[in-house]
């Protein structure tokens, strides 16, 4: 900007980078005042100072000249009358023209990016174009994979840490933009220069980052749709019909060098409304892209497939971790948040996770266990942690139900109390449940039931009469606790 200023106290009047025009009327021949004025301009980061000599300031300001030389600050002295209005007009015309030219150049660059996107030539031409137009070093740093550098480095590229990038960014010679696809950061695009980056550099970086994100989205979408249509062999895997070598070949084709330690199956149940949504397939492919990235960040390689109303996520464990449940739970929590952005909800329904198996050919066992976990929740309600390995007694109860033994087992151990309750409504079943949960602590049981100890003694005596005085003997107590779980499994919580 160009600004005419005749006051000697600059204060907060300037933003920086202004060329100041003055006649010196504010200081005239007072060198102390003129030197102070110049120092204020230097402190405000002004671009330069033009002084007209003759009308108000007749002598050459020596102290100002010395200060300007010491500070490497542009000081221009006019020894005859000049038209400041012409200087202002000409410079502003130049600035505006340059701005229009930059916008025109950016529009042309955007069109070039778009043409490259339509050509389907991939990522590298986009980076090369950014490098050619800005003449800056360009680095593409994917979250998973090798970086791309233009020009190629003479030695292996060093991947900067976040602290290093922040440090280098402070000198305005480095700028970076995250590459966000489907709400996830897949990479970072960086430009670097030996000099301060200009406005065109930053805006060109923004446009290239957008083009790179679109190219990555297109590539991932095409790849995910191809995988989505190749689900026949995954069904064979789930049926236990594939050899270990077939599975290993597929894993290496998806992620070269991967060595899975074990495999787990996670199943989400979908409702018919979701399946019949007009944009279901498009949403499904997009969520698969997000899910693949989320699980890989937590140490799993994802192989998804849709089977009827079940969304099956096969998870290959890539890290030698014993405690695999916490990272899987974190991944699922992040995955469910992708549903909250609106539209079709794929991960909001019942979910079941099977046990991990070191044998990749034994996938069917984990799949069946995951399905059983969902079936159990349909009876007892949704679980906060629907992992088959944490079902505990419900695994036994589910097996008894399948064998047709559940009703008989419940009757054998709880029948006398159930029949007595129908006639007397004596709260014996609830008392038994709380008493067993309290490990036989009478005061704790009475407090939990909000009754006095005498009432509890009376109820326990009656329970002993109905079930036998040995109902707290270790083996019988264990079976009574299992029978209580079985009763609640079939009839709901005891209240």
């Amino acid at each position: 900007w160009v600004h005419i200023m005749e006051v000697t106290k600059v204060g907060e009047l300037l933003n920086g980078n202004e060329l100041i025009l003055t006649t010196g009327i504010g200081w005239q021949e007072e060198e102390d005042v003129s030197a102070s004025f110049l120092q204020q301009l230097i402190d405000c980061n002004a671009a330069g100072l033009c002084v007209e000599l003759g009308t108000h300031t007749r002598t050459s300001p020596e102290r100002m000249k010395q200060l300007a030389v010491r500070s490497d600050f542009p000081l221009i002295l006019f020894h005859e009358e000049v038209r400041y209005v012409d200087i202002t007009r000409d410079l502003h015309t130049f600035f505006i023209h340059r701005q229009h030219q930059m916008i025109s150049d950016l529009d042309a660059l955007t069109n070039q990016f778009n043409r490259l996107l339509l050509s389907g030539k991939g990522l590298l031409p986009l980076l090369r174009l950014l490098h050619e137009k800005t003449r800056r070093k360009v680095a593409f740093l994917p979250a998973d994979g090798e970086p791309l550098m233009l020009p190629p480095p003479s030695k292996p590229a060093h991947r900067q840490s976040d602290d290093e990038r922040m440090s280098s960014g402070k000198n305005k010679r480095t700028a970076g933009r995250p590459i966000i696809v489907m709400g996830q950061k897949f990479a970072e695009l960086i430009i670097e220069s030996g000099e301060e980056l200009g406005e065109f550099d930053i805006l060109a970086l923004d446009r290239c980052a957008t083009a790179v994100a679109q190219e990555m989205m297109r590539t991932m979408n095409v790849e995910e749709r191809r995988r989505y249509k190749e689900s026949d062999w995954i069904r064979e895997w789930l049926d236990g019909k594939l050899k270990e070598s077939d599975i290993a070949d597929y894993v290496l084709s998806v992620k070269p060098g991967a060595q899975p330690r074990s495999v787990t199956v996670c199943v989400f149940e979908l409702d018919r409304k979701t399946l019949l949504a007009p944009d279901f397939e498009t949403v499904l492919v997009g969520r698969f892209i997000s899910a693949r990235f989320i699980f890989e960040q937590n140490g799993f390689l994802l192989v998804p497939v849709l089977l009827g109303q079940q969304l099956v996520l096969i998870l290959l464990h890539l890290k030698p971790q014993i405690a695999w449940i916490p990272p899987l739970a974190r991944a699922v929590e992040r995955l469910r948040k992708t549903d909250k952005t609106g539209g079709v909800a794929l991960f909001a329904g019942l979910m079941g996770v099977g046990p991990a198996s070191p044998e990749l050919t034994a996938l069917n066992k984990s799949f069946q266990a995951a399905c059983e976990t969902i079936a159990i929740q349909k009876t007892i309600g949704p679980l906060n942690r629907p992992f088959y390995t944490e079902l505990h007694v419900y695994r036994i109860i589910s097996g008894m139900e399948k064998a047709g033994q559940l009703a008989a087992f419940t009757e054998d151990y709880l029948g006398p109390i159930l029949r007595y309750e129908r006639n007397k409504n004596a709260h014996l079943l609830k008392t038994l449940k709380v008493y067993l949960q309290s490990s036989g602590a009478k005061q704790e049981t009475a407090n939990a039931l909000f009754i006095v100890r005498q009432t509890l003694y009376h109820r326990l005596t009656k329970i002993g009469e109905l079930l036998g005085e040995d109902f707290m003997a270790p083996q019988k107590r264990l079976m009574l606790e299992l029978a209580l779980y079985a009763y609640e499994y079939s009839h709901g919580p005891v209240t």
Side-chain angles (χ1 to χ4, degrees):
W1 194 250
V2 181
H3 188 59
I4 298 174
M5 178 177 284
E6 299 293 2
V7 297
T8 57
K9 299 294 184 182
V10 175
E12 301 294 328
L13 297 177
L14 300 181
N15 294 320
N17 293 312
E18 296 94 346
L19 176 65
I20 304 301
L21 308 178
T22 185
T23 63
I25 192 174
W27 71 76
Q28 298 194 15
E29 304 299 333
E30 298 182 47
E31 288 201 358
D32 289 343
V33 179
S34 63
S36 171
F37 175 66
L38 180 59
Q39 185 62 57
Q40 292 176 65
L41 296 182
I42 294 170
D43 295 339
C44 289
N45 195 33
L49 173 65
C50 297
V51 181
E52 179 188 289
L53 302 178
T55 304
H56 302 289
T57 302
R58 293 179 174 80
T59 60
S60 182
E62 292 302 322
R63 286 184 59 182
M64 290 182 74
K65 290 162 68 173
Q66 294 171 9
L67 177 58
V69 170
R70 286 200 305 271
S71 304
D72 194 24
F73 184 82
L75 175 61
I76 302 171
L77 304 178
F78 297 122
H79 294 275
E80 59 187 42
E81 186 179 62
V82 295
R83 287 170 55 88
Y84 279 174
V85 67
D86 292 338
I87 294 175
T88 304
R89 181 195 61 203
D90 292 345
L91 285 175
H92 286 170
T93 299
F94 171 77
F95 296 152
I96 294 170
H97 175 74
R98 187 176 62 178
Q99 190 73 14
H100 278 299
Q101 185 61 48
M102 184 181 71
I103 293 171
S104 177
D105 291 342
L106 285 170
D107 286 342
L109 180 60
T110 301
N111 289 333
Q112 287 179 280
F113 281 134
N114 290 336
R115 284 195 294 271
L116 287 175
L117 285 173
L118 293 173
S119 72
K121 293 180 179 179
L123 198 62
L124 190 56
L126 298 172
L127 304 179
R128 189 177 290 118
L129 179 60
L130 177 64
H131 170 61
E132 291 172 354
K133 293 299 181 181
T134 61
R135 300 185 184 277
R136 311 299 186 193
K137 293 179 181 178
V138 175
F140 175 74
L141 308 178
D144 183 23
E146 293 299 316
L148 290 174
M149 315 288 283
L150 291 174
S154 56
K155 57 183 180 179
H158 165 62
R159 184 186 287 267
Q160 288 185 315
S161 66
D162 290 341
D163 289 341
E164 288 175 318
R165 279 199 293 277
M166 285 180 64
S167 176
S168 62
K170 289 177 181 177
N171 59 22
K172 299 183 180 180
R173 296 179 179 181
T174 301
R177 294 292 184 270
I179 306 301
I180 307 294
V181 179
M182 302 294 293
Q184 308 294 332
K185 180 182 175 181
F186 280 85
E188 187 168 8
L189 181 63
I190 296 173
I191 58 172
E192 184 178 359
S193 173
E195 58 189 20
E196 185 173 324
L197 296 172
E199 185 179 5
F200 178 82
D201 300 322
I202 302 301
L203 294 175
L205 173 64
D206 289 336
R207 282 158 173 75
C208 187
T210 300
V212 167
Q214 291 174 336
E215 173 61 23
M216 291 186 70
M217 178 67 183
R218 184 193 67 81
T219 302
M220 288 187 287
N221 221 293
V222 170
E223 180 63 20
E224 203 61 58
R225 286 184 183 278
R226 182 187 64 78
R227 291 171 178 166
Y228 175 62
K229 295 180 184 301
E230 295 177 358
S231 58
D232 290 343
W233 80 272
I234 300 179
R235 290 185 174 87
E236 293 184 8
W237 188 8
L238 289 169
D239 291 338
K241 297 178 181 179
L242 290 183
K243 298 178 182 178
E244 187 90 20
S245 58
D246 297 329
I247 301 169
D249 289 344
Y250 173 79
V251 172
L252 290 175
S253 70
V254 174
K255 191 173 183 65
Q259 295 181 335
R261 310 303 175 109
S262 56
V263 65
T264 307
V265 175
C266 177
V267 178
F268 288 91
E269 189 163 82
L270 307 177
D271 55 36
R272 278 188 63 79
K273 181 181 178 182
T274 298
L275 290 167
L276 295 175
D279 57 346
F280 172 74
E281 183 175 325
T282 300
V283 172
L284 183 65
V285 170
R287 298 286 167 80
F288 278 174
I289 293 173
S290 295
R292 195 179 301 280
F293 180 76
I294 290 170
F295 279 112
E296 283 199 14
Q297 283 192 319
N298 286 275
F300 301 94
L301 178 63
L302 172 66
V303 181
V305 66
L306 181 66
L307 298 178
Q309 287 188 230
Q310 291 181 325
L311 188 55
V312 181
L313 307 182
I314 301 170
L315 302 171
L316 295 149
H317 305 204
L318 299 179
K319 296 181 180 179
Q321 51 189 9
I322 299 174
W324 57 272
I325 290 181
L328 195 152
R330 287 194 298 269
V332 169
E333 183 179 357
R334 283 185 59 190
L335 195 62
R336 282 184 157 158
K337 288 180 180 178
T338 63
D339 274 344
K340 296 180 180 179
T341 56
V344 179
L346 299 182
F347 308 111
L350 290 177
M351 179 190 81
V353 181
S357 171
E359 298 179 12
L360 302 186
T361 54
L363 186 68
N364 183 260
K365 294 179 181 177
S366 183
F367 175 59
Q368 294 299 332
C371 293
E372 185 175 346
T373 304
I374 291 177
I376 289 172
Q377 291 177 87
K378 289 180 179 179
T379 302
I380 65 173
L383 296 170
N384 291 328
R385 293 172 61 88
F387 295 90
Y388 183 77
T389 54
E390 297 184 2
L391 290 177
H392 307 310
V393 296
Y394 290 116
R395 293 165 62 175
I396 299 174
I397 293 170
S398 177
M400 294 171 67
E401 183 184 40
K402 291 176 183 177
Q405 300 173 351
L406 195 60
F409 176 76
T410 306
E411 175 63 27
D412 288 345
Y413 285 92
L414 298 180
I417 284 185
L418 295 174
R419 287 190 291 274
Y420 185 83
E421 290 269 79
R422 293 190 195 105
N423 299 321
K424 302 291 185 178
N425 192 26
H427 305 291
L428 297 185
L429 195 62
K430 176 66 177 295
T431 301
L432 176 62
K433 176 184 176 181
V434 176
Y435 189 57
L436 292 174
Q437 287 176 340
S438 304
S439 302
K442 294 183 175 62
Q443 186 61 54
E444 185 179 335
T445 303
N447 292 341
L449 293 170
F450 302 101
I451 59 176
V452 297
R453 287 172 66 95
Q454 196 61 37
T455 301
L456 175 64
Y457 294 152
H458 176 73
R459 291 184 185 179
L460 292 177
T461 300
K462 191 63 182 178
I463 290 172
E465 292 175 4
L466 295 170
L467 301 182
E469 297 297 333
D470 63 341
F471 73 92
M472 287 298 286
Q475 291 188 10
K476 190 169 185 178
R477 171 187 168 179
L478 179 63
M479 299 308 285
L480 284 171
E481 288 181 321
L482 182 60
L484 277 166
Y485 277 110
Y487 177 83
E488 290 186 320
Y489 181 86
S490 302
H491 300 88
V494 173
T495 58

